Amino acid sequence: MSDGGHSDVLHFYRGSTVLITGASGFLGRVLLEKILRSLEVRKVYVMLRPRRSYDAGDRLNQIFTSKLFDTLRMDAVKWQRMVRRVVPVEIDLEKENFGMVDGLKSELLGEVNVVFNMLASVKFIDPLDVALRTNVEYMDRMLKLVGEMKNLKSVVYVSSFYSNCDRRFIEERIYDDLRFGGVEKLINVVSKLRKEEAKFLTPYLIGSLPNTYVFSKKCAEVLILEKYSSLPIGIFRPPIVSSTYREPVPSWVDNFNGPSGMVVPLSVGMYHGVLLDPRKCPCIVPVDYCVNALICCGLDVHRQRSLKLPIPVYNYTDPQCKQSWGAIINGFVQGLPPFKRFMATYFTLTLTKSKLRYAFCKRLMQLEVNLLDLITRTPPKAGPILNRLTAQNEALAFFTLGEWQMSNGNVLRMLAETSEFERQLFPFDLTKLDWSVYCRQFIPGVVRYAIEPRIAKARDAEGKS
């Protein structure tokens, strides 16, 4: 890239048309915000599925109401200018060309320069046929459409660092070691199975991978190698993506996935037991750093593929990170108010890798919420919430009890090729993170952006009923 105040990244995107799939997701919304705030793109197409009575335009407006966009909204003139450049594209994943009318399809094929493909289901418990359909077949159809784009410069497919987590050392390459003679043959076999047969055979089909999600992401990577190696495409692998570090505001997170779900009981002063190995070092990245790396990947993929190099894979991780689960969660506790911090440190938090001890902790949590519901004399509310959080914790156990080594040469090369000016605009160097600050800000962010809005919404609903 370049030195001084000139930025090759800014130049690459200036006047370009970007297509984002999966823009309603956590990572997708932060990417959209960063593009609008920091890049002078010509247009952004956002593919969205209708939900209930909301069409794509309604869903885009809902995205824009998020506090995530408050920083951009402060400059009213820029806000209006950039929002007008965002075009919602309503899609039906089951229809040919995703149900787009010919005129809109022609616009996409003629205008789009850069594609960020993040359309996926992240549910670990999806049946195998559902995971393959959502994360592989839909991607296949999308890349077939992308292959017809006349002015395409770069495609970044967002996979997962854990797509090959059956290996303890994960390199930046596609592991084409499926046992079934290719992805399409596998999908064809699974599609012919009855539901009971598919459920019975799933452990055999996914092998040593822990769930259908990571298996489907591995299949998607292999399919890219098998069918789409002629595209200017790269594969970006983020690990566990958590709240923002700095941009557009510190500690923004509006969901209870991953670490944010672990701290919900602690934030309200309840007892909580977590199934993890406190000594293992997880791979966690702030979502704003992840998005900055993703944007820089758009240019790097274009350069690598223009040189006819193999499909680049980016393990967005830090092999030198020695922050253990115990240190991270104890850091989260430091963000609690003094009394809750004291209680969590000595009484209300248990970290254990013992499944037997965790089962005992889980029983204590269940007794606690039952007592709470009895005291408040309201229909059970805490119980279902606890069940969701414990189910998520148990689904993550493979990752919270394990540890991986990795290479990240492409990420390091990309970082080395950025100027200091660009590192200020698009910081993504994980070695520069102040983990103590990040952890201390984490629980206040979960409370402010995830818990309090839900409480306010519930109160409004009760007031209207």
Side-chain angles (χ1 to χ4, degrees):
M1 295 183 185
S2 61
D3 296 320
H6 175 75
S7 168
D8 290 348
V9 176
L10 293 179
H11 179 74
F12 177 72
Y13 287 98
R14 186 173 294 121
S16 293
T17 295
V18 176
L19 170 65
I20 303 176
T21 72
S24 62
F26 180 56
L27 183 62
R29 283 173 288 158
V30 180
L31 174 63
L32 177 60
E33 192 277 341
K34 179 68 174 184
I35 288 174
L36 296 182
R37 182 162 48 86
S38 301
L39 302 176
E40 283 293 332
V41 296
R42 188 179 77 86
K43 188 183 293 185
V44 182
Y45 286 107
V46 177
M47 284 188 168
L48 296 165
R49 288 173 283 180
R51 291 284 174 85
R52 295 185 292 274
S53 59
Y54 298 101
D55 62 18
D58 295 330
R59 294 196 65 202
L60 180 60
N61 289 333
Q62 286 181 327
I63 291 172
F64 282 149
T65 62
S66 169
K67 290 182 178 295
L68 176 68
F69 292 86
D70 282 355
T71 300
L72 184 57
R73 249 189 301 271
M74 291 172 64
D75 186 340
V77 175
K78 182 175 182 179
W79 169 252
Q80 293 299 325
R81 184 176 78 250
M82 297 309 293
V83 166
R84 284 195 293 269
R85 299 182 186 183
V86 183
V87 180
V89 178
E90 187 162 304
I91 59 171
D92 184 335
L93 296 174
E94 301 298 334
K95 293 182 179 179
E96 185 177 358
N97 294 321
F98 300 108
M100 293 185 293
V101 296
D102 290 340
L104 181 55
K105 178 187 174 184
S106 297
E107 285 182 20
L108 290 176
L109 297 185
E111 296 179 17
V112 170
N113 308 117
V114 181
V115 177
F116 293 103
N117 189 351
M118 295 181 286
L119 178 66
S121 167
V122 296
K123 296 178 182 178
F124 288 178
I125 59 173
D126 273 341
L128 182 57
D129 62 323
V130 174
L132 290 174
R133 182 167 65 251
T134 306
N135 295 338
V136 183
E137 292 183 69
Y138 293 159
M139 183 213 66
D140 186 15
R141 295 182 204 172
M142 182 61 64
L143 292 184
K144 183 179 179 181
L145 179 70
V146 167
E148 300 177 41
M149 293 177 176
K150 301 176 179 62
N151 296 295
L152 186 66
K153 297 192 293 185
S154 179
V155 184
V156 184
Y157 170 69
V158 178
S159 183
S160 168
F161 171 70
Y162 298 105
S163 58
N164 295 280
C165 61
D166 52 339
R167 300 171 180 271
R168 288 300 164 183
F169 186 85
I170 302 173
E171 300 176 87
E172 289 181 313
R173 68 182 183 89
I174 300 171
Y175 289 95
D176 184 13
D177 55 359
L178 292 175
R179 299 173 293 169
F180 313 105
V183 177
E184 292 181 306
K185 183 176 180 180
L186 168 66
I187 292 173
N188 184 52
V189 169
V190 172
S191 68
K192 295 177 180 178
L193 296 174
R194 293 195 299 271
K195 185 178 297 186
E196 298 79 10
E197 293 173 331
K199 184 176 181 180
F200 178 77
L201 290 173
T202 291
Y204 167 74
L205 293 173
I206 69 175
S208 53
L209 288 168
N211 55 60
T212 58
Y213 167 70
V214 295
F215 178 73
S216 66
K217 299 301 275 186
K218 176 186 179 72
C219 290
E221 291 185 8
V222 174
L223 189 68
I224 289 172
L225 180 65
E226 290 176 348
K227 291 185 66 175
Y228 297 105
S229 58
S230 61
L231 289 178
I233 192 168
I235 296 172
F236 182 76
R237 291 178 180 159
I240 300 170
V241 181
S242 193
S243 63
T244 58
Y245 181 48
R246 289 177 179 162
E247 295 184 85
V249 291
S251 306
W252 180 84
V253 61
D254 68 345
N255 62 67
F256 299 128
N257 298 328
S260 56
M262 294 179 183
V263 302
V264 171
L266 298 178
S267 68
V268 295
M270 296 178 66
Y271 174 74
H272 193 42
V274 185
L275 181 60
L276 54 73
D277 187 338
R279 297 171 300 177
K280 300 294 187 183
C281 295
C283 297
I284 298 177
V285 298
V287 64
D288 52 333
Y289 268 46
C290 191
V291 157
N292 290 329
L294 192 57
I295 288 172
C296 292
C297 275
L299 170 58
D300 195 68
V301 168
H302 171 70
R303 287 177 159 171
Q304 297 296 304
R305 301 299 277 158
S306 295
L307 296 173
K308 308 299 182 185
L309 295 174
I311 297 172
V313 178
Y314 306 86
N315 284 342
Y316 186 52
T317 53
D318 178 12
Q320 306 306 315
C321 181
K322 300 303 179 184
Q323 295 291 321
S324 68
W325 273 116
I328 287 173
I329 294 185
N330 287 329
F332 290 166
V333 169
Q334 299 309 305
L336 289 168
F339 180 71
K340 289 181 180 178
R341 181 167 67 244
F342 172 80
M343 293 298 292
T345 302
Y346 295 104
F347 301 104
T348 61
L349 172 62
T350 300
L351 307 179
T352 179
K353 63 179 181 178
S354 166
K355 293 184 179 181
L356 181 61
R357 188 181 181 195
Y358 172 75
F360 178 73
C361 295
K362 185 176 177 180
R363 181 58 179 162
L364 287 180
M365 290 186 281
Q366 189 63 59
L367 291 172
E368 180 184 36
V369 298
N370 290 343
L371 180 61
L372 179 64
D373 287 336
L374 180 64
I375 293 172
T376 57
R377 296 185 179 181
T378 59
K381 295 179 181 179
I385 295 173
L386 175 68
N387 291 339
R388 286 197 295 272
L389 294 177
T390 54
Q392 176 181 291
N393 183 201
E394 290 158 15
L396 288 170
F398 181 88
F399 309 101
T400 57
L401 295 171
E403 189 173 79
W404 288 263
Q405 302 298 317
M406 75 292 295
S407 62
N408 67 336
N410 282 331
V411 174
L412 293 178
R413 174 186 51 75
M414 186 169 64
L415 182 63
E417 292 174 357
T418 58
S419 67
E420 185 59 34
F421 176 66
E422 288 172 319
R423 292 176 194 176
Q424 295 299 318
L425 289 175
F426 307 102
F428 66 92
D429 185 352
L430 294 171
T431 66
K432 303 297 184 183
L433 281 173
D434 187 331
W435 283 100
S436 63
V437 172
Y438 180 72
C439 292
R440 194 165 57 247
Q441 295 174 339
F442 186 78
I443 288 183
V446 173
V447 172
R448 180 177 182 182
Y449 297 112
I451 296 177
E452 289 181 351
R454 285 168 170 79
I455 292 174
K457 186 177 180 180
R459 286 173 178 168
D460 288 343
E462 287 179 1
K464 293 176 182 177
S465 61

